[in-house]
Amino acid sequence: MSITIYNQNCITELSKLPENSIDLIITDPPYGIKGETFDKHYNRKETNVIEGYIDVPESQYAEFSKLWIKETERIL
């Protein structure tokens, strides 16, 4: 058995893998939460978050989600 852990941009890196080549995927996608509400949603102090940080801009979140889900489906 071989185990490989990828910690990369999921869309660009997963697109390089062949279909049906992965047995398990564990994800931790961004939740589309704006940086100024991390304390409320993630129990993080705002002072620990880089000012202006947003995981994925709200205007791009739906398309981003469709793309990474499509890639995970393809390689599983």
Side-chain angles (χ1 to χ4, degrees):
M1 175 174 37
S2 174
I3 296 175
T4 303
I5 297 175
Y6 293 91
N7 183 16
Q8 304 289 329
N9 178 299
C10 61
I11 297 166
T12 57
E13 295 303 313
L14 293 179
S15 67
K16 298 175 184 178
L17 299 173
E19 290 184 16
N20 304 313
S21 61
I22 302 295
D23 295 319
L24 173 70
I25 296 174
I26 299 172
T27 65
D28 184 19
Y31 296 103
I33 297 171
K34 295 179 182 172
E36 68 270 6
T37 60
F38 277 143
D39 61 336
K40 178 180 176 184
H41 296 288
Y42 290 135
N43 195 27
R44 288 188 192 162
K45 292 182 182 179
E46 294 300 320
T47 56
N48 294 336
V49 179
I50 296 170
E51 188 171 330
Y53 175 81
I54 299 173
D55 287 322
V56 176
E58 189 174 347
S59 62
Q60 299 171 19
Y61 190 77
E63 184 63 22
F64 165 78
S65 295
K66 289 176 189 176
L67 290 171
W68 77 259
I69 292 168
K70 181 179 178 181
E71 284 302 314
T72 57
E73 180 182 28
R74 184 186 64 78
I75 64 174
L76 276 174

